[in-house]
């Protein structure tokens, strides 16, 4: 019964969000605006970094990679959400499409963790080892680290997704979420999910918890170095070079910690869905805004480019 009927799965978007039918178009419009701003903001950063001679440092190179990751993440989640908002808050997709969406979501989230870690290492070298910075953080090393980040993210998550795809799905064909995350998918399975859960735990430790501790250690050294600078103006100037990254890290990891510390059963599941909106929709929107508002070089280049365009 179950296996035959489970060739497709019904993804119910906004279940638990309690959105009246008369407001669905407003929700669609809101998500559409967010999606457009996210694409434009991140594409602007990629374009500025690619074509501006003053933005050729490793920091901006990594920032452009983060922008690509944000575009992939929001494009993986939001288009289906937009479609569902217009079609009676439901969307029917095959189980393979659902697992594919989970794959790209997991890979881009893993990539974001690794990129934020690489960026913290870059800030550590720039502030704590300024005399050796250009020698240590050279063009070749930047490309090697980026290739490793992309490869690890997409290869390891592919292996994990293969494990998930081999499960049998016959418990239900309804996912109570707005996108195909791991826990909702596993709840559909009527086979043993212990291996998939073990893989997820190991990957979380390796690609989320360990990078987080690396970032913490980097910023401990950075803060110690900043306090050793005698002048207040000098401290402020040095801190401004990493304040944007620290803000993005705080929002990103703060949200993820909240999502995975909140129990996923009962009424708290609704809270988890709201929090999931933050790291899948809001953070890709905020990243380019935070870096643009808090970075003088980026603001200058953006201003010149806009003036030239008009």
């Amino acid at each position: 019964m179950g296996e035959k009927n489970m060739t497709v799965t019904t993804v119910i978007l906004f279940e638990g969000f309690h959105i009246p039918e008369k407001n669905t178009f407003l929700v669609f419009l809101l998500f559409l605006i967010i999606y457009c701003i996210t694409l434009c903001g991140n594409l602007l950063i990629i374009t500025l970094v690619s074509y501006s001679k003053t933005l050729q440092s490793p920091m901006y190179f990594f920032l452009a990679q983060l922008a690509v990751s944000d575009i992939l993440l929001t494009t993986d989640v939001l288009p289906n959400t937009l479609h569902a908002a217009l079609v009676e808050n439901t969307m029917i997709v095959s189980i393979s499409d659902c697992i594919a969406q989970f794959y790209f979501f997991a890979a881009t989230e893993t990539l974001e963790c690794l990129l934020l870690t690489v960026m913290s290492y870059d800030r550590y070298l720039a502030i704590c080892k300024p005399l050796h910075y250009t020698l240590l953080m050279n063009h070749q090393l930047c490309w090697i680290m980026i290739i490793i980040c992309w490869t690890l993210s997409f290869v390891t998550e592919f292996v994990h997704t293969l494990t998930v795809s081999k499960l049998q799905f016959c418990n239900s064909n309804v996912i109570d979420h707005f996108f195909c995350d791991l826990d909702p998918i596993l709840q559909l399975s009527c086979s043993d999910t212990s291996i998939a859960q073990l893989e997820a735990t190991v990957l979380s430790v390796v690609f989320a918890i360990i990078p987080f501790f690396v970032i913490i250690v980097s910023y401990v050294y950075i803060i110690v170095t900043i306090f050793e600078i005698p002048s207040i103006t000098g401290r402020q100037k040095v801190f401004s070079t990493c304040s944007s990254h620290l803000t993005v890290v705080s929002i990103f990891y703060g949200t993820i910690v909240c999502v995975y510390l909140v129990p996923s059963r009962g009424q708290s599941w609704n809270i988890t869905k709201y929090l999931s909106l933050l790291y899948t929709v809001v953070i890709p929107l905020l990243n380019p805004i935070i870096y643009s508002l808090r970075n003088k070089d980026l603001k200058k280049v953006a201003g010149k480019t806009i003036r030239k365009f008009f």
Side-chain angles (χ1 to χ4, degrees):
M1 135 203 171
E3 289 180 41
K4 207 167 186 180
N5 295 331
M6 284 300 103
T7 52
V8 295
T9 181
T10 303
V11 181
I12 302 180
L13 304 178
F14 304 113
E15 183 174 309
F17 286 77
H18 306 299
I19 298 170
E21 193 176 338
K22 62 181 180 181
N23 292 336
T24 53
F25 182 74
L26 291 177
V27 172
F28 167 81
L29 195 60
L30 174 64
F31 279 107
L32 180 62
I33 292 169
I34 290 173
Y35 185 47
C36 291
I37 294 173
T38 302
L39 286 182
C40 292
N42 284 292
L43 284 172
L44 179 63
I45 285 180
I46 294 167
T47 305
L48 293 177
V49 172
S50 301
Y51 293 102
S52 173
K53 291 180 181 178
T54 58
L55 300 178
Q56 294 303 308
S57 67
M59 179 176 71
Y60 296 111
F61 174 68
F62 296 136
L63 178 58
Q65 297 295 319
L66 186 66
V68 174
S69 174
D70 284 335
I71 289 173
L72 290 176
L73 176 59
T74 195
T75 302
D76 181 50
V77 173
L78 268 183
N80 283 349
T81 308
L82 289 170
H83 181 270
L86 289 181
V87 188
E88 299 177 354
N89 292 343
T90 61
M91 185 173 181
I92 300 175
V93 295
S94 67
I95 191 70
S96 58
D97 287 343
C98 189
I99 291 173
Q101 186 187 43
F102 161 70
Y103 167 65
F104 284 105
F105 160 73
T108 49
E109 284 289 293
T110 303
L111 177 61
E112 189 127 350
C113 290
L114 294 178
L115 287 175
L116 290 173
T117 308
V118 167
M119 292 170 80
S120 71
Y121 177 66
D122 171 69
R123 291 300 83 207
Y124 161 76
L125 290 180
I127 294 170
C128 301
K129 311 279 184 184
L131 298 178
H132 305 285
Y133 177 71
T134 52
L135 182 65
L136 294 171
M137 191 59 72
N138 54 56
H139 185 71
Q140 185 181 5
L141 179 62
C142 289
W143 273 107
I144 289 172
M145 288 196 293
I146 287 302
I147 290 169
I148 290 173
C149 287
W150 281 86
T151 305
L152 280 177
S153 301
F154 282 84
V155 171
T156 53
E157 289 300 339
F158 180 73
V159 173
H160 182 218
T161 305
L162 275 181
T163 304
V164 174
S165 67
K166 290 175 182 175
L167 298 173
Q168 291 182 332
F169 301 96
C170 55
N171 279 344
S172 169
N173 68 332
V174 176
I175 290 184
D176 182 14
H177 213 326
F178 68 97
F179 74 101
C180 297
D181 202 355
L182 179 62
D183 283 343
I185 291 176
L186 293 184
Q187 286 174 17
L188 303 184
S189 177
C190 53
S191 52
D192 183 17
T193 61
S194 57
I195 295 176
Q197 289 174 330
L198 178 62
E199 285 182 1
T201 303
V202 171
L203 290 174
S204 298
V205 170
V206 174
F207 295 114
I209 296 174
I210 292 176
F212 179 67
F213 279 110
V214 171
I215 293 170
I216 294 295
V217 170
S218 298
Y219 272 99
V220 167
Y221 279 103
I222 287 170
I223 291 168
V224 169
T225 303
I226 288 173
F227 275 109
E228 289 175 352
I229 298 171
S231 69
I232 295 175
T233 309
R235 289 178 191 172
Q236 290 174 340
K237 189 177 178 182
V238 172
F239 183 73
S240 67
T241 64
C242 59
S243 60
S244 300
H245 177 259
L246 188 57
T247 304
V248 168
V249 167
S250 301
I251 297 171
F252 179 75
Y253 273 102
T255 307
I256 287 181
V257 166
C258 288
V259 168
Y260 290 104
L261 283 182
V262 172
S264 60
R265 301 201 179 271
Q267 294 182 348
S268 62
W269 179 240
N270 289 329
I271 300 172
T272 304
K273 286 189 288 187
Y274 281 114
L275 290 171
S276 298
L277 278 172
L278 291 178
Y279 65 83
T280 55
V281 176
V282 178
I283 289 178
L285 169 71
L286 288 180
N287 283 353
I289 295 173
I290 291 169
Y291 276 101
S292 299
L293 291 178
R294 300 179 71 92
N295 191 291
K296 291 179 182 177
D297 293 335
L298 207 54
K299 280 194 285 188
K300 279 181 187 176
V301 174
K304 283 181 185 177
T305 306
I306 291 168
R307 283 194 296 273
K308 267 186 187 179
F309 181 78
F310 286 108

